[in-house]
Amino acid sequence: MSSKSAEKRLRELEQLVEKHNHRYHVLDAPEISDLEYDRLFKELETLEIKHPDLKSPTSPTVRVGGAPLESFKKSRHEAPMLSLMNTYSEEEFLDFDMRVKKLLELSDDAQVEYHVELKFDGLSMNLTYADGVLEKAATRGDGEVGEEVTANIRTIRSIPLRLNTSNPPKRIEIRGEVILQIADFEKLNQEQEKREEKIFANPRNAAAGSIRQLDPRIAASRPLTAFWYGMGAADGYQPKTIGEFHDTLQAWGFKTGKNWKICQGAQAVLEFYREIHAERDSLPFEIDGIVVKLNSFRQLDQAGFVARAPRGMVAFKYPSRQVTTTIDDIIIQVGRTGALTPVAILKPVSVGGVMVGRATLHNQGEIDRKDVRIGDTVVVQRAGDVIPEVVSVVVEKRTGREKKFEIPRECPSCGTEAVLKEGEAVIRCPNRACPAQFVERVRHFVMKDAMNVEGLGEKVVELLVEKKLVQKLADLYRLEKDEILRLEGFKEKSTQKLLDAIEATRKTELYRFIFALGIRHVGERTSKSLAQHFGSFDALMQATQSDFESIHEVGTEMAAALAEYFGNAENRSEIAELLREVELIAPRKNAEAGVFKGKVFVLTGTLPTLSRTEATQMIEAQGGKTSSSVSKKTDFLLAGAEAGSKLDKAKDLNVRVLSEEEFLLLLRK
Ligand code: IVH
């Protein structure tokens, strides 16, 4: 392709991909299949690699997340991010309406025009666009200075990298809320749980936690989205009403949400408030109220400010979804790695439309802090309205018959003395042979993202372990037909189905096997990196803690967990036994389809996060080669700090020089 036609195609693809991003992520109205989308994306990426000079800084390929940052930079907002006054009842809202009329010098029975919209419960964000291009994204911080999180925000596909207008304002700050939808939040927590990683209390915390990650690839992997409703400093744009601004936001490509309205007078606002309240449980995301704003910017100005809040706007909150019930019992759940978690068994109760029968009490510290006892009447909430949690005890309801609870010193499953490691809140059963832990380990082993034994659910695992048919992981592969037939509920057909499902997993990909072992802190993603890095299980078993630490995605804590796991004789013999049953398929080297197919790299200097071996492996995995000296045949020089003569030579020969960040960007997808 000539460079002219390449450029034409490139621009076309950029627009196409962004258009389909917008249709899918903002309008909820995709026009093409995911497969077709991926094809366009890939074509764009490939062209950009071939013609790096033509790549635009607002290309949709930047959304896959760049290299990790050392820390977040501070960023001063051009106009401060203010807050809202709150009202909690219809009376309070009517008072607000009266106050507003006084400020606007209107009569008491005048009907003020309000713009009403949802109050999204997320992380507030300030985007700065310069000449229509996203320049910066920053968190609210103290309202004056926030943290710059542009790399993370760019990964959110519903956020325009460039405003969809031929006549953008010179500069403008756009404000909104980054959120996770409830279903995505629940899925994320399930994944976090499987990986034994942090469980988020609610979608808001999950969104905030995702944005506060220094590695943009984490944000990229989370299905974040955002709603936009506000404006900070603006140069070259001055709408007359909030309604007009709202329409402009939509036209520019922002997601604004569908539930908003212009109301004449307070009664119409109350109707909207009640309507949304009734719909609240069926919205796919969390809201904590509505926001009522004077529609006219002139009137907003006239109303002025009190403290750091505009007097012409108010947050009209809904009561939080809390109910009271009683604690019938407190039980201890034993996790896969031995964590003993106290769980309150509640008299079942409906909280915001969801029946709740259990609530986590986290750990002893939490129980003591809240002074929770068996028999107590407690206030329960679905924190962020999803995970049930005991908020507090209704002490007035105590009868004196309540029983204090202390997490037993022994594991309730095997009786082994539990240990509390210094600095940890969670007490653990240290016995690897503990039956409850073992059930959890088998459940993890057969899970979909691990070995993927279809149809082997929790109950059957429990049964197999209880009947001692499975006492080690490898026993799964030695089950006999007549043993299973004797189990309750198994007939000829279901038995055969189970055996076939297990049989089908005898040949499995390396990463699945690594993940299936259930090593602490090692999730699916890390397992993939490990498989890619080491290429074989043998190599992985030989690795030392510092070998693990040299891998891009592996932190100190995880490296220690890996070293500890593979250093343990019991684990090693369990693995050896499993490997007599299971055959591992090495990771697919996509050298054929690799993005660096046929490209020659030279490495120089110290890269910020990658080791040389790692970078070389990544290049080779994508079909590229490395060479030690720069020549006319070199396609890329991957240069880190203190790059010497190779860098000069590359510049002389017009060889493209890549930073680690650029290199990783090319690698994504
Ligand atoms: S307007 C002067 N509109 O709620 C502040 N805020 O409790 C203008 N929020 O800081 C804010 N949804 O982060 C506005 N539709 C909405 C909102 C909204 C959520 C957040 C925002 C604000 C906080 C105040």
Side-chain angles (χ1 to χ4, degrees):
M1 207 187 283
S2 75
S3 117
K4 244 220 158 99
S5 53
E7 176 158 20
K8 185 161 167 263
R9 181 65 183 151
L10 230 141
R11 299 290 164 257
E12 207 170 79
L13 283 165
E14 270 169 21
Q15 284 192 2
L16 263 176
V17 172
E18 269 313 79
K19 172 184 145 184
H20 291 300
N21 263 341
H22 182 251
R23 290 209 64 93
Y24 185 95
H25 294 281
V26 179
L27 304 179
D28 271 337
E31 268 174 352
I32 59 172
S33 69
D34 291 1
L35 196 73
E36 281 171 290
Y37 175 85
D38 288 344
R39 214 177 278 148
L40 291 174
F41 196 97
K42 193 88 204 166
E43 188 189 343
L44 174 58
E45 246 181 354
T46 315
L47 265 180
E48 286 177 347
I49 290 171
K50 282 206 189 117
H51 304 276
D53 45 317
L54 297 179
K55 179 171 171 168
S56 141
T58 53
S59 164
T61 55
V62 305
R63 294 190 185 277
V64 288
L69 309 174
E70 298 271 318
S71 62
F72 293 120
K73 275 194 275 186
K74 295 272 178 242
S75 168
R76 179 169 290 278
H77 308 304
E78 286 172 36
M81 290 177 83
L82 305 177
S83 52
L84 290 173
M85 292 178 296
N86 293 317
T87 57
Y88 296 92
S89 67
E90 300 202 347
E91 293 74 50
E92 275 185 69
F93 172 71
L94 292 173
D95 289 347
F96 161 84
D97 178 58
M98 281 313 218
R99 256 193 334 266
V100 163
K101 284 189 261 197
K102 289 223 164 57
L103 289 166
L104 298 180
E105 295 169 354
L106 297 171
S107 68
D108 282 0
D109 53 2
Q111 306 256 304
V112 182
E113 186 169 277
Y114 290 112
H115 192 275
V116 290
E117 56 202 42
L118 303 183
K119 186 167 185 322
F120 303 103
D121 196 7
L123 177 71
S124 35
M125 195 57 60
N126 185 26
L127 308 178
T128 309
Y129 286 83
D131 294 318
V133 173
L134 175 64
E135 179 187 82
K136 190 163 77 171
T139 59
R140 182 176 192 284
D142 61 5
E144 301 281 345
V145 177
E147 282 179 325
E148 201 204 305
V149 290
T150 321
N152 286 336
I153 288 299
R154 274 201 312 218
T155 68
I156 303 177
R157 292 181 193 232
S158 62
I159 296 179
L161 299 172
R162 180 184 281 279
L163 302 179
N164 179 28
T165 166
S166 54
N167 184 24
K170 200 144 182 34
R171 283 187 87 72
I172 190 164
E173 291 183 310
I174 303 291
R175 272 108 193 238
E177 213 76 6
V178 174
I179 63 143
L180 259 180
Q181 302 219 49
I182 297 169
D184 292 328
F185 158 75
E186 288 179 327
K187 208 168 134 224
L188 172 63
N189 259 353
Q190 279 165 13
E191 287 162 7
Q192 294 284 102
E193 193 176 347
K194 278 188 219 155
R195 292 189 289 248
E196 296 219 334
E197 278 172 27
K198 184 186 157 89
I199 302 291
F200 297 105
N202 53 52
R204 215 188 86 78
N205 288 359
S210 305
I211 291 298
R212 295 223 174 85
Q213 296 280 347
L214 289 167
D215 185 348
R217 281 165 294 187
I218 298 181
S221 74
R222 305 223 169 130
L224 296 164
T225 186
F227 290 105
W228 304 94
Y229 48 72
M231 188 167 93
D235 176 359
Y237 175 69
Q238 181 61 74
K240 289 204 161 44
T241 62
I242 302 266
E244 181 194 331
F245 173 58
H246 204 102
D247 292 343
T248 309
L249 279 177
Q250 263 176 356
W252 282 347
F254 290 98
K255 192 160 149 171
T256 56
K258 298 187 188 104
N259 298 298
W260 59 272
K261 205 170 176 174
I262 292 169
C263 292
Q264 309 299 333
Q267 285 307 320
V269 174
L270 291 183
E271 267 168 43
F272 181 81
Y273 177 76
R274 292 174 199 143
E275 241 168 63
I276 297 295
H277 199 179
E279 267 179 53
R280 185 181 181 195
D281 288 342
S282 47
L283 288 172
F285 46 81
E286 291 293 344
I287 58 165
D288 52 354
I290 63 168
V291 181
V292 185
K293 306 174 179 176
L294 279 171
N295 192 32
S296 145
F297 277 106
R298 194 183 43 76
Q299 290 189 329
L300 275 168
D301 256 6
Q302 199 182 338
F305 299 86
V306 56
R308 316 277 308 145
R311 286 207 275 196
M313 294 187 187
V314 74
F316 192 174
K317 301 258 226 170
Y318 292 120
S320 76
R321 288 191 277 217
Q322 296 188 336
V323 295
T324 55
T325 184
T326 52
I327 296 186
D328 289 342
D329 199 1
I330 296 177
I331 60 158
I332 295 293
Q333 246 170 22
V334 186
R336 189 181 83 223
T337 54
L340 305 186
T341 308
V343 175
I345 304 297
L346 307 169
K347 186 152 161 269
V349 59
S350 160
V351 193
V354 172
M355 281 310 281
V356 168
R358 288 171 164 231
T360 175
L361 293 167
H362 303 288
N363 53 53
Q364 188 69 48
E366 282 284 300
I367 295 180
D368 296 345
R369 197 171 59 76
K370 293 176 181 160
D371 188 20
V372 176
R373 306 179 190 179
I374 298 171
D376 262 340
T377 298
V378 286
V379 177
V380 175
Q381 76 179 6
R382 287 196 288 130
D385 305 328
V386 182
I387 297 179
E389 179 178 63
V390 173
V391 183
S392 60
V393 174
V394 187
V395 183
E396 308 84 74
K397 293 259 171 121
R398 285 224 167 119
T399 60
R401 268 172 279 133
E402 294 76 16
K403 273 193 272 157
K404 284 206 176 208
F405 180 83
E406 231 177 275
I407 298 184
R409 308 289 323 158
E410 296 92 40
C411 168
S413 172
C414 67
T416 308
E417 191 174 339
V419 284
L420 182 63
K421 271 206 190 142
E422 185 144 345
E424 288 192 12
V426 173
I427 185 163
R428 287 173 197 276
C429 162
N431 173 17
R432 257 188 106 269
C434 168
Q437 274 183 57
F438 184 62
V439 168
E440 292 305 312
R441 283 183 38 230
V442 179
R443 280 180 57 195
H444 176 85
F445 186 78
V446 302
M447 210 168 64
K448 186 156 176 285
D449 300 327
M451 297 300 276
N452 191 20
V453 181
E454 276 175 36
L456 183 46
E458 183 177 346
K459 286 275 163 309
V460 180
V461 169
E462 273 173 21
L463 205 59
L464 290 171
V465 176
E466 186 194 310
K467 299 287 179 207
K468 300 206 162 37
L469 298 184
V470 175
Q471 292 178 286
K472 300 180 213 157
L473 290 174
D475 289 344
L476 274 170
Y477 293 95
R478 302 177 192 134
L479 287 168
E480 299 282 347
K481 194 166 179 178
D482 52 339
E483 290 174 333
I484 302 179
L485 266 171
R486 265 182 260 132
L487 294 179
E488 198 186 316
F490 275 89
K491 302 251 160 57
E492 174 72 27
K493 216 167 145 192
S494 46
T495 303
Q496 196 54 50
K497 216 170 141 195
L498 177 60
L499 286 171
D500 289 348
I502 295 173
E503 206 51 37
T505 66
R506 274 194 196 265
K507 242 193 183 149
T508 195
E509 288 151 284
L510 178 55
Y511 87 88
R512 285 187 175 274
F513 185 73
I514 299 171
F515 179 47
L517 293 174
I519 307 163
R520 229 173 130 189
H521 306 301
V522 178
E524 192 190 352
R525 227 175 109 103
T526 312
S527 304
K528 283 186 177 161
S529 304
L530 291 169
Q532 192 80 41
H533 184 91
F534 291 104
S536 76
F537 202 81
D538 270 350
L540 178 67
M541 296 264 280
Q542 307 294 327
T544 63
Q545 176 159 346
S546 67
D547 292 335
F548 290 127
E549 270 172 29
S550 72
I551 303 173
H552 188 46
E553 289 190 15
V554 177
T556 322
E557 202 182 4
M558 208 191 277
L562 279 161
E564 188 185 315
Y565 183 89
F566 289 114
N568 177 303
E570 278 177 275
N571 291 337
R572 293 180 84 96
S573 79
E574 172 164 64
I575 291 167
E577 211 181 324
L578 270 171
L579 289 176
R580 280 197 284 278
E581 304 295 339
V582 186
E583 185 191 337
L584 301 181
I585 314 166
R588 193 165 38 92
K589 296 250 185 233
N590 32 4
E592 270 312 298
V595 288
F596 297 145
K597 190 180 167 196
K599 299 281 177 198
V600 179
F601 279 73
V602 173
L603 276 63
T604 184
T606 316
L607 299 172
T609 69
L610 293 174
S611 72
R612 273 192 187 223
T613 331
E614 249 184 302
T616 307
Q617 279 171 350
M618 290 162 106
I619 292 164
E620 287 171 355
Q622 293 293 331
K625 289 198 197 72
T626 53
S627 145
S628 55
S629 59
V630 179
S631 73
K632 274 189 288 185
K633 288 196 197 127
T634 313
D635 294 291
F636 297 104
L637 180 75
L638 176 52
E642 275 141 40
S645 60
K646 287 183 190 169
L647 183 57
D648 300 334
K649 184 139 187 220
K651 283 183 178 157
D652 278 350
L653 292 174
N654 247 341
V655 168
R656 183 167 177 215
V657 180
L658 293 177
S659 68
E660 180 184 293
E661 184 172 11
E662 291 165 313
F663 170 72
L664 290 170
L665 214 57
L666 294 178
L667 260 179
R668 297 301 303 175
K669 261 275 152 162

